[in-house]
Amino acid sequence: MTDRIYLSPPHMSGNEMKYIKEAFETNWIAPLGPNVNLFEKELATYSDVKGALVTSSGTAAIHLALATLRVGKGDTVFVSTFTFVASANPVLYLGAEPVFIDSEPDTWNMSPEALELALKEAKIRNRLPKAIVVVNLYGQSAKMDELNDIARRFAVPIVEDAAESLGSTYKHKKSGTLSEIGIYSFNGNKIITTSGGGALISNDEEIVNQARFLATQAKDKAPYYQHSQVGFNYRMSNVSAGIGRAQLEVLDQRVERRREIFDYYKQELNQLKGIHFMPELKQTTSNRWLTTLTIDLSEYRISPREFMLKMESVNIETRVLWKPLHMQPLFSDCQFYKHPLSSEVISEKLFETGLCLPSGTNMSETDQERVVEEMKKIFNSNRKPVYVFNWNKQKGMRAKVQRKTI
Ligand SMILES: *Cc1c(COP(=O)(O)O)cnc(C)c1O
């Protein structure tokens, strides 16, 4: 059996042990310590924002962001529907209710038109949301200018869920810095990792300070332990932050490599009919965290789910795209606004047709050639026969001829 090729495994830089060793040698194994402070400073510098708070997970960072914006019982929060469940779970932690917004086809992210519709209706009913969680999926930024304009008109703050888009840019700004608050994830499968962790970033230092206060058990200023509000234990540990510092040093290299991996797939598979890669919006660069594509089901008799199983049988990990949250049993009671400029529900269509390919930066060229070869085999043997009609001179009729696969 050949070695397994994973979707997106961790990739260490080699410097991690240096910072972890420092933590051990100085006995800063207690949660906080110098690596935490330095990682926060270095991350803020990288993203060019005033403040950063590193947390135990990306989910914790979203929870803190919404808590800082005073989301509470009975409130609503608008959330991109096409995302991982962690974008919306914190809304439930706070006793609020998510309303899901569809994708648009240019970025696969939140549709500004659907958002505007949802906000107009909410305003009429006097139920404007406390916040909007906009996700940048698979590394691609949403249409942030349009979304920000609409949100500002209704005075609703945006939390940019940049868990998958660290290192991407939107009009030369770092992804995650386009709105009031941004969040990152350093989970093991993300573009860089601390084994588990996340961050909250903002240009509003008061927001970052408030999030830091809530993340450290909400201790009042008093000579003893006094608390007047609910806090959390959400800070990143000094050991994890050591890993993060070494990973941040190679982030730009990792982005470059992921983009190369994407380019290779595109070059090799683009000539197949009915295969479409995730688009990249003008004036943005995607970190191409995962290479993703859609399969035109009128051209192939294989669904992404079947495709995934076939790849699994040759020990290659692929994955279907996120199942939209408005389709999840957990959120079956929640409202949903579809993209109004299409008869189809964009996020549902993407879910039915989309696939993620192995995109780890430590994948070798031979690995990638193997993935491509297996994919070509599967696509070619599952091409739908297409009949073309050729004029048959002798018989004076059209003869049915089956098109060959390429
Ligand atoms: C990974 C991810 C998160 C959550 O991050 P964790 O660090 O795993 O808690 C949130 N949103 C999106 C879109 C993600 O992909």
Side-chain angles (χ1 to χ4, degrees):
M1 197 73 185
T2 41
D3 286 343
R4 183 165 175 78
I5 299 176
Y6 290 94
L7 194 75
S8 181
H11 184 185
M12 294 297 109
S13 73
N15 261 343
E16 288 81 4
M17 284 312 287
K18 184 179 95 186
Y19 297 114
I20 294 176
K21 230 171 125 201
E22 273 173 25
F24 273 73
E25 277 165 6
T26 53
N27 207 29
W28 278 108
I29 308 300
L32 298 178
N35 277 335
V36 173
N37 299 333
L38 287 165
F39 188 32
E40 287 179 344
K41 276 213 185 83
E42 288 157 1
L43 188 63
T45 305
Y46 178 85
S47 288
D48 195 20
V49 278
K50 295 230 173 80
L53 167 80
V54 292
T55 56
S56 51
S57 72
T59 312
I62 298 172
H63 192 181
L64 290 169
L66 296 178
T68 306
L69 296 173
R70 303 193 183 283
V71 171
K73 249 203 181 76
D75 291 332
T76 56
V77 175
F78 288 3
V79 184
S80 302
T81 192
F82 193 44
T83 182
F84 179 48
V85 69
S87 306
N89 268 339
V91 177
L92 301 184
Y93 303 165
L94 290 161
E97 201 182 306
V99 170
F100 295 108
I101 312 290
D102 201 8
S103 302
E104 48 77 20
D106 301 336
T107 66
W108 297 6
N109 290 311
M110 189 181 281
S111 153
E113 291 81 10
L115 175 67
E116 186 169 26
L117 210 66
L119 283 169
K120 276 184 180 160
E121 286 197 16
K123 181 153 190 188
I124 290 169
R125 282 186 284 128
N126 209 10
R127 288 247 321 138
L128 277 175
K130 270 282 174 68
I132 303 166
V133 179
V134 174
V135 184
N136 303 310
L137 229 46
Y138 305 118
Q140 172 59 55
S141 289
K143 293 184 171 172
M144 292 311 297
D145 279 355
E146 289 87 338
L147 295 168
N148 276 327
D149 281 350
I150 295 164
R152 276 179 201 141
R153 260 198 279 134
F154 291 87
V156 182
I158 289 184
V159 175
E160 212 186 336
D161 179 349
E164 300 179 4
S165 63
L166 176 60
S168 301
T169 63
Y170 181 94
K171 297 191 177 172
H172 304 294
K173 284 188 179 159
K174 285 289 187 324
S175 188
T177 67
L178 278 300
S179 292
E180 281 76 0
I181 305 180
I183 76 95
Y184 295 132
S185 165
F186 306 114
N187 192 27
N189 61 353
K190 296 290 168 21
I191 193 157
I192 60 169
T193 182
T194 58
S195 93
L200 177 151
I201 55 165
S202 181
N203 275 314
D204 183 338
E205 281 171 292
E206 224 156 275
I207 286 181
V208 179
N209 289 339
Q210 175 66 10
R212 184 171 284 117
F213 167 77
L214 293 175
T216 329
Q217 309 283 20
K219 275 189 217 116
D220 291 342
K221 279 205 178 82
Y224 32 76
Y225 282 84
Q226 176 173 296
H227 308 270
S228 344
Q229 36 175 328
V230 181
F232 312 99
N233 181 6
Y234 272 170
R235 300 294 298 273
M236 182 180 280
S237 85
N238 196 46
V239 175
S240 294
I243 304 174
R245 291 183 65 201
Q247 288 270 293
L248 190 61
E249 292 170 354
V250 294
L251 174 56
D252 286 340
Q253 268 165 263
R254 297 290 188 258
V255 173
E256 204 177 309
R257 178 71 189 126
R258 296 241 179 198
R259 289 181 62 84
E260 260 174 37
I261 289 169
F262 173 87
D263 289 342
Y264 179 76
Y265 280 130
K266 190 161 179 182
Q267 173 204 310
E268 289 296 314
L269 300 169
N270 217 24
Q271 71 263 38
L272 292 173
K273 225 175 158 207
I275 303 299
H276 302 286
F277 285 85
M278 186 180 194
E280 189 174 46
L281 191 70
K282 274 200 186 112
Q283 294 185 281
T284 70
T285 55
S286 168
N287 67 13
R288 296 291 187 191
W289 170 53
L290 294 181
T291 292
T292 55
L293 51 79
T294 57
I295 303 170
D296 183 343
L297 299 177
S298 65
E299 294 283 341
Y300 297 93
R301 53 174 178 233
I302 186 166
S303 71
R305 269 156 262 176
E306 291 159 342
F307 198 101
M308 185 173 78
L309 294 176
K310 284 207 187 305
M311 293 296 275
E312 197 58 51
S313 73
V314 290
N315 219 4
I316 297 171
E317 185 184 19
T318 57
R319 209 197 267 162
V320 295
L321 302 187
W322 299 124
K323 179 174 181 174
L325 297 185
H326 73 272
M327 298 171 79
Q328 301 283 355
L330 174 63
F331 298 115
S332 58
D333 294 338
C334 298
Q335 250 192 306
F336 166 65
Y337 284 86
K338 75 177 280 289
H339 180 57
L341 305 181
S342 163
S343 58
E344 287 170 323
V345 178
I346 304 293
S347 55
E348 290 181 10
K349 176 89 185 179
L350 289 166
F351 171 57
E352 272 164 39
T353 59
L355 194 70
C356 307
L357 308 185
S359 309
T361 41
N362 40 10
M363 181 165 59
S364 70
E365 278 173 33
T366 337
D367 286 344
Q368 217 191 345
E369 284 165 14
R370 204 179 112 209
V371 177
V372 164
E373 198 180 311
E374 294 296 341
M375 290 184 69
K376 281 183 179 166
K377 266 194 239 164
I378 299 172
F379 279 129
N380 278 328
S381 57
N382 286 283
R383 196 81 189 269
K384 274 191 183 160
V386 174
Y387 298 103
V388 287
F389 291 88
N390 286 353
W391 185 251
N392 184 322
K393 265 188 199 153
Q394 269 135 23
K395 290 184 182 163
M397 58 180 283
R398 286 169 187 269
K400 207 161 95 170
V401 179
Q402 187 172 335
R403 187 185 67 190
K404 287 199 193 105
T405 53
I406 45 163

